[in-house]
Amino acid sequence: MLGCAYATCGHEKGICCVLGTGSNISFFDGEDIYDGQHGLGFVLGDEGSGTWFGKKLITDFLYGNMPYDISQKFDKAYHLNKEIVIKNVYQKPNANTYLASFSKFVSEIKTTEYGHSMLVDGLVEFIETNIKSYPEYHKYKCHFVGSIAYSFSEELISLCHLHGVKTGKIIKHPINDLMAFILKRNEMATEE
C-alpha cells in the first residue's frame, strides 16, 4: 500500500485505493499510510474488486439469475457447472484469483442493463463501504490503482463524482509511477 501511495499521492495527503483482483484502501498523510478497518479479503470483503465481480457473475449464472442471452454468452465462454466451481473455489489454492478471472466478462457486457447494474453496484459498494468510512474523505483526492479501476475508470470517475469523492490518479500498474517518485526523491536528496 505504501508503494501505491507514493505512486499516486507522491508527498501529498490523500486516499489510496486498490481495485484489482482484490480491493483495499488506506489514508496517506504524505509520509505514512494508515489502514482503516478494511482489507477483509475475498470471503468477507473485496468490494468492487475482480473477485467481487467474479463471485457475482458465477453465482448469478449458477442460480439462473442472469438474463438468458448473457447466460448463454457466459456459458459459451467458460463452460461452467456447479462441480467445476466448487472444486476451484473450495479445493484448489488461489480461489480469489480464480474468481477474479471472470471479471473480464464484465467488460463484454457493461453496456447491457445487467452488466451496467452489476458494475455500478460493485463500485458504489466500494465507495460506500470503504471511501466514505473516512470521515474527511471529501477533503482529499482519492487515487486508484489496479486493473478494475483502470478498466472501468470512466464509470468509477462518474460514480465518485456522484458520491462527492474527488478523484486523482487512476493507474493500472503503479511500478512506473513509483519508480518516477523514487528517482525524483533521490534526485532531491542529492541536491540537498
Side-chain angles (χ1 to χ4, degrees), residues 23-34:
S23 67
N24 207 341
I25 186 171
S26 63
F27 178 77
F28 182 65
D29 71 358
E31 293 183 23
D32 295 309
I33 58 170
Y34 298 90

Side-chain angles (χ1 to χ4, degrees), residues 20 46 66-67 97-98 102 112 122 136 149 155 192:
D46 275 352
M66 261 184 193
T97 305
Y98 170 75
F102 298 98
T112 67
E136 298 183 335
E155 295 85 356
E192 294 175 0

Side-chain angles (χ1 to χ4, degrees), residues 72-90:
Q72 293 298 303
K73 187 174 184 174
F74 190 80
D75 188 36
K76 185 176 180 182
Y78 299 106
H79 308 289
L80 291 181
N81 60 40
K82 182 180 175 181
E83 291 73 30
I84 292 170
V85 171
I86 296 297
K87 184 174 185 174
N88 281 284
V89 172
Y90 294 103

Side-chain angles (χ1 to χ4, degrees), residues 53 57 66-67 69-70 73-74 102-123 147-159:
F53 289 113
L57 286 164
M66 261 184 193
D69 58 329
I70 295 173
K73 187 174 184 174
F74 190 80
F102 298 98
S103 65
K104 63 185 170 216
F105 189 75
V106 178
S107 293
E108 297 177 35
I109 62 166
K110 74 177 190 173
T111 58
T112 67
E113 184 179 337
Y114 170 80
H116 179 74
S117 178
M118 178 188 301
L119 185 56
V120 168
D121 288 350
L123 296 177
S147 58
I148 295 296
Y150 186 80
S151 297
F152 303 112
S153 59
E154 187 177 311
E155 295 85 356
L156 182 59
I157 291 168
S158 175
L159 290 167

